[in-house]
Amino acid sequence: MELILNEEQQLLQDTAREFVNKNSSLRRVRTLRDSGDPLGYSRTLWGEMAKLGWLGIIFPEEYGGAGLGYTELMVILEELGRGLLPEPFISNILLAGNAIAIGGSPAQRQAVLPSLISGDLLLALAHQESRSRYNPHDVETQAQKTSSGWRLSGEKVHVLDGFGADRVLVSARTSGATADRAGMTLFLLDVHAPGLSIERQWRIDSRNAAIVRLDDVAAAGDDVLGKVDHGSDILDTVIDRATIGLCAEMLGGMNAALSMTLDYLKTRVQFGVPIGSFQALKHRAAKMYIETELARSAVMAAHKTIDEDSQRVPALASIAKARCSDAFVLISNEAVQMHGGIGMTDEHDIGFFIKRARVAEMTFGTAAYHRNRFAELQGY
């Protein structure tokens, strides 16, 4: 497996880096946070990304997508992560959008994907519950069969970009016990449906999340995504792909934190010399670089495994997430420490990376969770 980008992918990476440098900065991230922006991102910038074709990279051309691969998406996500852009790529494209593309009927795909790809429609996937931890099958939300369809009741938490979404994809139990893999079904609901409410949540990195409450919400038969009782087949696939996509974003954050730290080591003078000339700091910087490159190998291998439609995607997702969680936390910790006292202040931008690293580490499972999952997948 070649873990290098081809010429077209390198050109796409250059375009993405230029776009991020031109349209976003850590100052913008700070402004969104300090102003308490309700969305936490820009619909205008989201529309610009749509015009570049980024929102449709992995979707079929018949729905307005580009029909490219996950490796092409990876180079975009890495650049977004480098700039800490909060736009809802993971939630809209890799979670909800992918669920529609993989499990939706032809009518559902045609009704949703073109609007999603154009940036006009915002989706969210609500699968996590307060006691489910990282197990997507641990679902207490109930869907009761009625004469006209279904009635849903329950509560979902940590719904990425749930506030401001137009429609929300919800997992609910249609049969079986709470933690059974079978018996779970996905429903695509309008956020204005009677009985459905959304409460804004703020994560420590200031990104958009929400609590979605369902109080006897009606759903029609054609709101079901895929087959009744078989929602886990869709959910497992999209969470693995979203986990791998998040790893690409984390890789970009690692690179940016490392770059900012190296610049500081070259310019901060102590005892008449740049502090980067001290051997102890050189060794720590070298460790940061090595961890970044090891993470890059895991992230690239995971994306290429999706493109090859390999059965090893779940294992590679866990390898990449465990590696990126450990590396991003280490690098952001070291970055703040090597900036010294100024790194601990809110005024310095390096703090944004340690906050993002902590949130990304906990999203879709920590390093410990994924090491254990990898062991189980290998039959240990």
Side-chain angles (χ1 to χ4, degrees):
M1 180 186 291
E2 286 189 356
L3 297 181
I4 55 175
L5 301 179
N6 61 34
E7 186 176 348
E8 288 77 16
Q9 290 161 350
Q10 288 175 356
L11 287 172
L12 184 59
Q13 186 178 49
D14 292 341
T15 302
R17 186 167 299 181
E18 183 180 346
F19 177 87
V20 171
N21 290 338
K22 179 182 176 182
N23 293 284
S24 187
S25 65
L26 295 178
R27 181 180 299 174
R28 168 179 169 260
V29 174
R30 184 182 295 278
T31 300
L32 287 167
R33 182 199 67 175
D34 293 348
S35 65
D37 188 279
L39 281 180
Y41 60 87
S42 166
R43 285 295 297 261
T44 302
L45 199 60
W46 187 242
E48 293 297 319
M49 293 180 184
K51 290 177 183 175
L52 288 169
W54 293 356
L55 310 192
I57 278 182
I58 57 173
F59 297 129
E61 293 179 73
E62 62 184 298
Y63 303 114
L68 296 175
Y70 280 78
T71 306
E72 282 76 17
L73 182 64
M74 183 197 79
V75 302
I76 301 291
L77 291 171
E78 182 181 349
E79 295 310 315
L80 299 185
R82 190 186 297 271
L84 293 182
L85 267 71
E87 273 60 38
F89 232 100
I90 301 294
S91 56
N92 272 267
I93 306 304
L94 286 167
L95 285 175
N98 243 344
I100 302 293
I102 293 170
S105 65
Q108 287 171 329
R109 292 173 187 164
Q110 193 59 57
V112 173
L113 290 182
S115 299
L116 182 75
I117 292 168
S118 68
D120 296 325
L121 180 70
L122 290 175
L123 300 178
L125 174 63
H127 67 92
Q128 196 168 348
E129 301 190 355
S130 58
R131 284 182 287 187
S132 64
R133 190 68 172 165
Y134 303 123
N135 182 2
H137 311 143
D138 196 340
V139 174
E140 293 185 354
T141 297
Q142 295 290 320
Q144 301 292 335
K145 192 82 175 70
T146 68
S147 58
S148 58
W150 301 87
R151 289 278 177 181
L152 280 69
S153 293
E155 181 179 283
K156 300 291 183 179
V157 299
H158 302 301
V159 181
L160 300 181
D161 302 304
F163 185 85
D166 301 304
R167 304 186 76 178
V168 60
L169 196 57
V170 176
S171 61
R173 186 148 297 284
T174 42
S175 68
T178 298
D180 288 350
R181 185 179 186 278
M184 191 267 286
T185 304
L186 294 174
F187 295 85
L188 184 59
L189 306 175
D190 191 292
V191 296
H192 301 296
L196 193 153
S197 62
I198 294 179
E199 178 185 341
R200 177 72 151 94
Q201 286 183 304
W202 298 89
R203 295 186 147 193
I204 61 170
D205 61 354
S206 306
R207 298 210 180 189
N208 186 326
I211 297 173
V212 175
R213 296 188 176 90
L214 305 157
D215 183 11
D216 220 16
V217 177
D222 56 7
D223 291 329
V224 172
L225 193 74
K227 296 179 181 178
V228 173
D229 289 343
H230 291 273
S232 294
D233 297 340
I234 303 170
L235 200 55
D236 289 349
T237 301
V238 301
I239 289 178
D240 273 338
R241 296 184 179 197
T243 300
I244 291 170
L246 175 64
C247 289
E249 188 192 310
M250 295 167 79
L251 179 62
M254 292 176 220
N255 270 301
L258 173 59
S259 179
M260 286 178 67
T261 304
L262 294 180
D263 288 344
Y264 187 73
L265 295 181
K266 292 174 185 174
T267 55
R268 173 77 166 90
V269 174
Q270 189 65 275
F271 306 117
V273 295
I275 62 173
S277 63
F278 301 149
Q279 193 168 32
L281 295 184
K282 285 183 179 178
H283 288 173
R284 290 170 68 172
K287 171 71 172 172
M288 293 166 70
Y289 174 76
I290 291 168
E291 290 296 326
T292 302
E293 291 306 301
L294 289 173
R296 177 178 299 283
S297 296
V299 171
M300 290 191 74
H303 282 82
K304 287 183 178 291
T305 303
I306 301 177
D307 288 335
E308 293 167 356
D309 198 23
S310 168
Q311 297 297 313
R312 299 188 67 228
V313 170
L316 269 291
S318 284
I319 290 173
K321 187 58 168 57
R323 170 60 65 181
C324 287
S325 292
D326 283 344
F328 200 7
V329 169
L330 170 75
I331 289 167
S332 60
N333 284 352
E334 289 288 79
V336 170
Q337 281 224 342
M338 282 197 266
H339 274 79
I342 194 173
M344 298 296 294
T345 65
D346 185 64
E347 286 76 12
H348 201 287
D349 290 338
I350 195 67
F352 284 116
F353 290 95
I354 200 169
K355 291 170 183 170
R356 181 59 187 151
R358 290 300 186 278
V359 172
E361 176 200 13
M362 300 294 288
T363 302
F364 304 135
T366 61
Y369 169 83
H370 278 285
R371 279 193 288 270
N372 185 63
R373 179 175 183 254
F374 176 79
E376 291 177 349
L377 289 169
Q378 302 307 305
Y380 296 157

